[in-house]
Each structure stands twice: as structure tokens, then as C-alpha cells.
């Protein structure tokens, strides 16, 4: 009898659980629907845009840090994705790591010389989009040195921000660079010259 009752309860609850999951999914404002983006120019959202870097530290561990955005924009038309243009500035002088002394060393002339070069910049030169993915070629400037880089980007989602009802959307991208190419190669190869970058870029209607 208990088994029969348990079975009945499970069958009764299943549709309710399914409806709850579907309701939560439908409520996600950033569902991946690019059609929600109207053609135009959108400002970078500095509160939700970041570059995370990773290096191999002396073969002992992987070390990460982060830069936030200080400005930028994207010009995009979903009907012409390959015409997209993006430019983002990153606040080198506000870099984030695990300890203040380490942050100070990275900001020194040994590495970024943040007093002289407080920002870095990425400017796209070519976009090749396929579905929700894109290869973005552009110029990266760090410490006054400009080099071409290629980002592998994925569209994350678009929708109305529930806080201000304005359109928000974003991309996630990855690439690798050699820090020595930008005159920040101190201690290589003991600390890896290769740096893996993960970029989370958010944009918003004004």
C-alpha cells in the first residue's frame, strides 16, 4: 500500500516539478536569443566586464588575476554579424590579485608600469561569425605595445535587465598571448611567458 501511495505522489508531483523548472528557465532574462538585440551601438558594462589571466607560476601552481573594464563599446547588427566592431579599455592600474604586495609588484616597472600605462585596449579589426560563435581578430595594446590577437568568442545571451528594463547582452571569449611581446616578460620562463586570457564582456543600452 505504501508503495502504491508513493508512486501516486511521485506521478502527481512530476508535472509540477517540470512546470517549475520550465518557469525558472523562461524567467532567465538572458536566454540566448540574439534576435532580442536591435542594431546599434552599445556601451560596455564596466561592472560586469572582466579579463582573467592565468600563468604557470614556477611549475608549482597556476596563478590568476583580473582586470576590469574602464570603457568601450560595441556596434552590432544581428543581420550583419561580420560587420560588428568592438572596442574595450581595461583598467591595468586597478588590477585585482590575491595580495596587495603582489598587486603593487605587478603595477611596478618590472611588469605593467601602471603609472605610465594605466589602461590596455582591444580594438577589433575583423569578425567572422557562425551561429552563436565568432572569431574576432583585433589589436591589443598593453604598455604602449600593439599586437594582433585572435579571440574565440561565444554569444552568451540577451534580454531586458530586470533592474532597469534596458537591453543587456554579452560574450565570452578566450585567447593566449606571450607577455614578452608586450614588454612584461619578467622572470620568463620560470613564470610562463604564455598567458591564457578569458574575457567576459557585457554591453548595455543607455
Amino acid at each position: 500500500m505504501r508503495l502504491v501511495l508513493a508512486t501516486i505522489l511521485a506521478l502527481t508531483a512530476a508535472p509540477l516539478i517540470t512546470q517549475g523548472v520550465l518557469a525558472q528557465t523562461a524567467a532567465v532574462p538572458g536566454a540566448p536569443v540574439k534576435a532580442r538585440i536591435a542594431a546599434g551601438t552599445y556601451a560596455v558594462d564596466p561592472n560586469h566586464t572582466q579579463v582573467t589571466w592565468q600563468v604557470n607560476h614556477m611549475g608549482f601552481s597556476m596563478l590568476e588575476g583580473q582586470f576590469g573594464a574602464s570603457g568601450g563599446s560595441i556596434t552590432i547588427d544581428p543581420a550583419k554579424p561580420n560587420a560588428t566592431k568592438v572596442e574595450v579599455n581595461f583598467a591595468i592600474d586597478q588590477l585585482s590579485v590575491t595580495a596587495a604586495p603582489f598587486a603593487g609588484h605587478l603595477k611596478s616597472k618590472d611588469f605593467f608600469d601602471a603609472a605610465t600605462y594605466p589602461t590596455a585596449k582591444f580594438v577589433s579589426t575583423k569578425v567572422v561569425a557562425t551561429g552563436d560563435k565568432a572569431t574576432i581578430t583585433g589589436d591589443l595594446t598593453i604598455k604602449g605595445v600593439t599586437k594582433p590577437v585572435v579571440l574565440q568568442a561565444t554569444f552568451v545571451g540577451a534580454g531586458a535587465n530586470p533592474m532597469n528594463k534596458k537591453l543587456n547582452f554579452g560574450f565570452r571569449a578566450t585567447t593566449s598571448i606571450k607577455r614578452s611581446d608586450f614588454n612584461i616578460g619578467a622572470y620568463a620562463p620560470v613564470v610562463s611567458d604564455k598567458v591564457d586570457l578569458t574575457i567576459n564582456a557585457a554591453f548595455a543600452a543607455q
Side-chain angles (χ1 to χ4, degrees):
M1 187 64 178
R2 290 180 180 177
L3 180 59
V4 172
L5 289 173
T7 303
I8 292 172
L9 288 172
L11 291 173
T12 303
L16 297 176
I17 294 171
T18 302
Q19 290 172 15
V21 171
L22 290 175
Q24 288 178 6
T25 302
V28 175
V33 182
K34 284 187 288 186
R36 295 181 181 182
I37 303 176
T41 298
Y42 300 85
V44 71
D45 176 356
N47 292 324
H48 302 103
T49 297
Q50 57 197 197
V51 173
T52 300
W53 54 262
Q54 183 183 78
V55 295
N56 185 306
H57 184 250
M58 299 184 178
F60 303 143
S61 62
M62 302 306 294
L63 183 63
E64 294 186 344
Q66 194 172 90
F67 304 109
S70 58
S73 65
I74 188 171
T75 300
I76 188 170
D77 182 349
K80 302 175 183 177
N82 291 349
T84 299
K85 296 186 181 299
V86 61
E87 177 178 323
V88 181
N89 298 327
F90 294 96
I92 300 297
D93 58 348
Q94 297 179 36
L95 62 88
S96 175
V97 288
T98 51
F102 182 36
H105 190 198
L106 290 177
K107 293 177 185 180
S108 74
K109 292 185 177 181
D110 284 351
F111 289 99
F112 289 103
D113 190 6
T116 305
Y117 306 99
T119 61
K121 175 181 284 190
F122 174 80
V123 180
S124 67
T125 56
K126 181 180 180 181
V127 174
V128 178
T130 305
D132 284 344
K133 299 185 182 300
T135 299
I136 304 174
T137 303
D139 292 327
L140 177 63
T141 302
I142 303 175
K143 205 175 179 180
V145 178
T146 301
K147 297 285 184 180
V149 298
V150 179
L151 308 181
Q152 299 302 324
T154 301
F155 175 76
V156 176
N161 185 322
M163 304 299 290
N164 59 19
K165 311 305 179 185
K166 294 183 178 180
L167 175 66
N168 279 221
F169 59 93
F171 300 85
R172 181 178 179 85
T174 58
T175 192
S176 295
I177 63 173
K178 285 186 176 182
R179 57 192 182 91
S180 59
D181 287 345
F182 298 91
N183 293 335
I184 48 177
Y187 307 111
V190 176
V191 176
S192 63
D193 193 17
K194 177 176 175 283
V195 182
D196 295 323
L197 302 177
T198 300
I199 304 100
N200 291 298
F203 300 91
Q206 299 302 293

